[in-house]
Amino acid sequence: MTEQQEASEDAVMTRIGQAVILLHAGDREEARNRLGEIWSELGTEGDSLHRCTLAHYLADAQDDPAEELAWDLRALKAADADGPGPPPAVRVFYPSLHLSLATDYVKLRRPDTARIHLARARAATGALGDDGYGNGVRAAIARLERRLAAEPREAPRTPFPGQNQ
């Protein structure tokens, strides 16, 4: 990779970071706009780490739980774009990505689907370091596990009369 390419990638992460600061400061709309601009610039073929990071934060900037889910699914798709052996920088996102998906499904009242992603989040925690980020993600997984333990299971969906089972 050339110095120019590295500087360009650093600029993308810097812009993402600036938008995230706005998000954490409570300016969700401006953060969403800035992150959306970067998403449009990168396109579907942009760097998977950038797309994963962007989509993950774009999910956090959404007001509608269904839109949040759609962006978290895009983040997972971007993380999976490098195939079965994603780079370590992307692999460390998996626990958080699945935790976010589990949270989305809880908001959408789909606890069984949430449990699936929560189990995937727990299974991926080996990629996390023993640091503030890793400990925070593990603690959030444990909190959601406790919350879901109290949630009833989803009722099986029955087909409408005349519909194939």
Side-chain angles (χ1 to χ4, degrees), residues 42 54 148:
L42 288 180
L54 269 170
L148 279 173

Side-chain angles (χ1 to χ4, degrees), residues 131-149:
D131 55 16
Y133 173 75
N135 293 335
V137 172
R138 282 188 284 273
I141 291 169
R143 282 192 303 273
L144 191 55
E145 285 172 337
R146 285 190 300 274
R147 179 177 171 190
L148 279 173

